[in-house]
Every structure is written in structure tokens, then in C-alpha cells.
Amino acid sequence: MEIERAYQYAHCTVVLGADHEVPGCEAIFDQALSNGLLAIVAAQWPGEERDPKGSWMRSAKQLLTVIEEKTDAQPDGTRLIPWTDHGDSEGIRVDTDTLREGVTKTQAPRHGRGPGTLERSHVDALLTLDRHPALRRITEVASDGLWIKAEVRDRYDRDRAQAYLEFLGGDEAQARAERAPELVEYPHPKHNPDREGSELECCAVCEYESFKLDYPTEIPDTGSGACLVCSYARSSDTAYYLSLNAELRRAIDTD
């Protein structure tokens, strides 16, 4: 679980490092921060990542409070999390004030409570967390520049498709979804004896069963193609990395 959290933190943080204004940046920031803080607190103070009854994981704000209660404030306003067994005599300085501000500013638009903007300073404070031994995956993840570009492009295409879906309106979208199976060729039984019907999956944007795959895939929601309703297109690069991540998660779960 802790390895998966470290990778979740790293993948999200690398995307924000490349473009902190990418569509969905608010949710990406929350996912990155929550997973990063859970990994750190669980490693540093086992059990403190959960509520007192141990029934649920603490939120990012609550985890920041745990860090503030367990550490000393530094002259620059950061909090020092010390360690002695990882070749670093000091530890990591966490800017809890900036990270808390980031949570506040991103939660408002996420929950429809008003405007809010993720700033570069919030991402910089997020990147600093990777110095903790429980994380340290950003260099590994960021080494694949093609993945970063594919992820950022995919985020922008999702945003464009969402805007187009709103332009279409519900009635037109529903009508297109009903016609979608008619627009896809059925696989020839000679070449695809085990596959019946059209190659359509649920679209990640409009959620209709209207995403036309370029070719069959063994892992759902990882293939390249385009939606016949909202026009969301998933590139072959994005599909490749989605498949790779799915295999990684499968390997982690197996271990």
C-alpha cells in the first residue's frame, strides 16, 4: 500500500510540475498531497495516518495537523521532520502553511464553493515532500518525459471534450449515444470468434458506452480510440502508459 501511495503521489506531482494549470489540477493536487502525506505519516508515526478509532484515513488537512503537532517550527515557518537512519542528519522541512493554503484554494472550485487557484508555490511545497524516504519516486517517474507529455495532453483533451459535451446538451448527447453502436463495424467472426458486438467502452468523459477502440484490449479503459458522443480522444501514447500503470498496480497487488 505504501509503495502504491508513493507512486500515486509521484505521478500526480510530476504532472503538476510540468503544468500546474493543467485541467483538473485541483483534484490532482489533492490526490498527490493526500497520498504523499499518508505515506510520510504512516512511515514516521505508524497509526497516526488513521483517525483515533482506526476506521478511516485522515484527510490532507488533518495529516498536516499531525505533522505540526509532532514537529518543531523552524525560523522560516516550515516544520522539520527528522530522521537518522537514511543518511540525512537533518530531515525534511515541510511547508505546512503553504500546503494547507493549497488545500483551501483547490477545495473551493472542486466542491462548487467559489473560485480558487492552484499556484506554483503550492506545487513547489508538494515537490519538497519527495525528499522523505517514504516517497522518493519523482526522479524515477519524471525520467520518462514522453509519459508526462502524454498525460498533460490527455488532461487538456478531456477538458476540451467536456466543454463540447456541455455545448451539445443532454438530449443530443443521449441521441448520439443511442446511435453509437450503429457507427461501429462488428468484428468478423472468422478473425474474432470470441468477441461479439461492437468495440465500445464507457467513455471517461461523458460516461456513455460510446468510446470506440482502435483495437481490442485485454485491460479495460486503457485502449486508444475516440468517443462517438463527446469526441474525447485517447492517444496511443496515453493508452500505452495507462496499460503500463495498470500492470504496475497488478504487480503491487500481487506482491
Side-chain angles (χ1 to χ4, degrees), residues 4 246 248-255:
E4 183 174 357
L248 175 62
R249 288 193 298 271
R250 180 186 297 178
I252 291 174
D253 292 340
T254 301
D255 292 341

Side-chain angles (χ1 to χ4, degrees), residues 28-182:
I28 300 173
F29 178 80
D30 182 75
Q31 184 177 348
L33 182 60
S34 296
N35 279 278
L37 292 178
L38 281 169
I40 289 174
V41 171
Q44 201 74 29
W45 307 286
E48 292 295 331
E49 74 276 15
R50 296 180 176 272
D51 74 298
K53 294 182 180 180
S55 56
W56 45 267
M57 297 294 176
R58 296 183 190 269
S59 67
K61 278 190 174 181
Q62 292 170 331
L63 292 166
L64 289 171
T65 298
V66 170
I67 292 175
E68 290 169 343
E69 292 175 346
K70 299 283 187 181
T71 59
D72 296 325
Q74 302 302 296
D76 61 357
T78 62
R79 295 283 176 159
L80 177 66
I81 300 179
W83 62 74
T84 58
D85 56 346
H86 292 279
D88 192 321
S89 60
E90 183 185 43
I92 175 178
R93 292 173 181 259
V94 179
D95 191 345
T96 54
D97 289 340
T98 298
L99 291 173
R100 192 183 299 276
E101 179 188 71
V103 172
T104 301
K105 287 194 172 184
T106 55
Q107 278 189 344
R110 282 184 62 216
H111 299 288
R113 295 198 296 263
T117 303
L118 183 68
E119 300 174 6
R120 186 67 216 183
S121 59
H122 303 142
V123 177
D124 290 340
L126 184 65
L127 283 162
T128 300
L129 298 181
D130 194 58
R131 298 175 184 171
H132 194 279
L135 298 177
R136 295 186 176 174
R137 296 290 190 284
I138 281 184
T139 299
E140 174 187 345
V141 171
S143 63
D144 193 340
L146 290 177
W147 173 84
I148 302 171
K149 292 178 181 178
E151 177 70 13
V152 171
R153 282 199 305 269
D154 188 61
R155 293 281 177 176
Y156 275 102
D157 197 66
R158 288 179 184 234
D159 189 53
R160 177 200 57 75
Q162 182 63 48
Y164 182 59
L165 181 66
E166 294 171 2
F167 171 76
L168 289 177
D171 292 342
E172 175 62 19
Q174 179 65 39
R176 292 188 178 200
E178 293 173 356
R179 294 197 305 270
E182 303 172 6

